[in-house]
Amino acid sequence: MPDVHILVNDFVNQLKKRKIEGSQATAKQTAELLRSVISQQRLPQTNQATALINAVRVVGEKLIAANPVELAVGNIARRVLHIIREEDLSLATAAIAGLELSAVSDDEDDVDRDDYPVLSAASVAAAARSTLRPPSLQTLLEDTPITAAIPHTSSSGGDSEGKSRSIDKSSRGRKLKHDVIEAVNELIQDISTCYEQIAEQAVEHIHQNEVILTLGSSKTVLEFLCAAKEKKRSFKIFVAEGAPRYQGHFLAKELAARGLQTTVITDSAVFAMISRVNMVIVGAHAVMANGGVVAPVGLNMVALAAQRHAVPFVVLAGSHKLCPLYPHNPEVLLNELRSPSELLDFGEFSDCMDSASGGGSLHVVNPTFDYVPPKLVSLFITDTGGHNPSYMYRLIADYYSADDLVVERRPATGI
């Protein structure tokens, strides 16, 4: 198996050079890399979850710094951190439940059993989480400390018990790593099949003889529209070309090849054509915690046109595009500038761009993304179903832990 450091450096170089295009491909490769990091990570006898979290944090920080605009990288790193915490919590819960069960089944401890309170689900969760974070004031003031709820065993056979504990900790570490890798495999599978899961819902939203408008190129939108066509729905599609890269041309060609009635329009014609449209269906680069959408440039204009004519604006996004951050967070970079050569020919406009000549200079700005506020979005369709923008924060909370919103190594604090 290749050294994990080589894999990380290779992936960082690909992200820096923008050789990986598309959130789905980036998210899948990020998850596969973090799976390799976890599988090759050596775990100590204690705090195995903390060791895995620190290892993933170190790699995640490098990947995010390599391409801050590709928010799917940070999303997957946070998802994996959340998986580690959940699997460690599950193992800790099972271990405490096993201790309690063994105490109940031990006949010799029948009299002493009443001295120890029964652990509630909240107490079990607090016990497990305490291994991952320092105690808060609330946990210090709890009425029933976890250490008091577990009976103390006798000190006889100290050497054998020490070896037994060492074996138990080692097996628990292997079990934790195995469970985390299995969960990451499920995450990779979900990323790979997100198109199909979203496309299955197409027949519920696209009806007979409707007119659909989209902009640019999105594989999610392509599969969604083709799935409706396969269900014998007849409808027309307007595709805005998505200048300056004209990705809409590729989408229109693919739709026409699959037998859909497709019309290509210029981006500036969206307002003129929107009154004929029944629904706008677009893809997304990322969905923020407030329900806002980071999307290809030009989509904010389409959303405003749709709102003006009361046309539903529907956004398709896989769960790997759901970002737990808000647009105003300082670590969020919402845009980047592409090459001016996509807009103008340098040879033709070289005189205007030469500021040293003493005349006026010509500047070219070519942003990659738009931000669409949640008030302009009618519905999100993810691989888990349809959701209103106001519900997205709750959906996102199921995938991430609050401790992992900022993926960076936290220095150890000494007393």
Side-chain angles (χ1 to χ4, degrees), residues 105-166:
S105 61
D106 192 350
D107 295 335
E108 296 180 359
D109 294 336
D110 285 344
V111 177
D112 299 333
R113 216 183 309 151
D114 296 335
D115 297 335
Y116 304 105
V118 177
L119 297 180
S120 64
S123 300
V124 170
R129 293 191 180 96
S130 65
T131 63
L132 301 177
R133 62 176 74 114
S136 63
L137 180 61
Q138 179 181 355
T139 56
L140 291 174
L141 297 178
E142 283 182 348
D143 295 332
T144 307
I146 297 301
T147 54
I150 302 177
H152 296 282
T153 57
S154 61
S155 60
S156 60
D159 295 339
S160 61
E161 284 188 10
K163 293 179 180 178
S164 176
R165 289 196 190 98
S166 177

Side-chain angles (χ1 to χ4, degrees), residues 18 69 335-340 342 364-369:
R18 306 300 194 263
V69 176
N335 220 331
E336 68 177 351
L337 301 180
R338 297 183 61 87
S339 171
E342 294 180 348
V364 180
V365 179
N366 184 17
T368 305
F369 301 112

Side-chain angles (χ1 to χ4, degrees), residues 125-347:
R129 293 191 180 96
S130 65
T131 63
L132 301 177
R133 62 176 74 114
S136 63
L137 180 61
Q138 179 181 355
T139 56
L140 291 174
L141 297 178
E142 283 182 348
D143 295 332
T144 307
I146 297 301
T147 54
I150 302 177
H152 296 282
T153 57
S154 61
S155 60
S156 60
D159 295 339
S160 61
E161 284 188 10
K163 293 179 180 178
S164 176
R165 289 196 190 98
S166 177
I167 294 174
D168 290 343
K169 291 177 180 178
S170 178
S171 62
R172 185 179 184 275
R174 290 194 297 270
K175 172 68 171 166
L176 174 63
K177 183 184 290 188
H178 175 269
D179 292 348
V180 170
I181 291 176
E182 286 297 316
V184 174
N185 288 335
E186 293 179 5
L187 173 61
I188 295 173
Q189 182 65 21
D190 291 340
I191 295 173
S192 302
T193 61
C194 69
Y195 298 137
E196 291 81 0
Q197 295 175 5
I198 294 176
E200 290 175 356
Q201 308 170 55
V203 70
E204 303 174 7
H205 301 279
I206 298 179
H207 306 289
Q208 193 73 7
N209 298 324
E210 284 192 333
V211 178
I212 309 297
L213 172 67
T214 187
L215 181 142
S217 180
S218 168
K219 186 177 180 180
T220 311
V221 174
L222 172 64
E223 298 299 333
F224 190 82
L225 297 175
C226 291
K229 173 68 166 53
E230 293 173 359
K231 296 296 183 180
K232 308 302 181 183
R233 296 290 166 85
S234 177
F235 55 94
K236 297 180 181 180
I237 305 169
F238 290 159
V239 180
E241 57 186 359
R245 301 181 68 190
Y246 301 106
Q247 295 292 316
H249 295 176
F250 301 102
L251 178 63
K253 183 178 180 180
E254 187 67 26
L255 291 172
R258 297 200 188 186
L260 283 87
Q261 303 179 52
T262 307
T263 303
V264 177
I265 64 174
T266 61
D267 297 343
S268 57
V270 167
F271 253 105
M273 305 296 292
I274 195 69
S275 60
R276 308 181 189 181
V277 172
N278 299 106
M279 183 184 301
V280 177
I281 299 178
V282 297
H285 176 71
V287 178
M288 310 307 292
N290 65 335
V293 180
V294 181
V297 65
L299 271 183
N300 187 59
M301 172 192 67
V302 177
L304 289 171
Q307 183 192 50
R308 178 67 177 83
H309 289 268
V311 175
F313 187 87
V314 179
V315 177
L316 310 181
S319 59
H320 59 278
K321 296 185 179 182
L322 305 182
C323 181
L325 304 176
Y326 290 85
H328 60 265
N329 289 134
E331 60 270 19
V332 174
L333 183 61
L334 293 179
N335 220 331
E336 68 177 351
L337 301 180
R338 297 183 61 87
S339 171
S341 63
E342 294 180 348
L343 298 178
L344 298 177
D345 183 5
F346 282 122

Side-chain angles (χ1 to χ4, degrees), residues 15 54 89 165 175 188 196 198 240 379 403 407:
L15 290 175
N54 290 337
L89 175 61
R165 289 196 190 98
K175 172 68 171 166
I188 295 173
E196 291 81 0
I198 294 176
L379 181 69
D403 295 335
V407 182

Side-chain angles (χ1 to χ4, degrees), residues 73-85:
V73 174
N75 295 344
I76 296 303
R78 296 181 184 95
R79 287 281 295 271
V80 172
L81 290 172
H82 178 69
I83 287 172
I84 296 172
R85 296 181 187 277

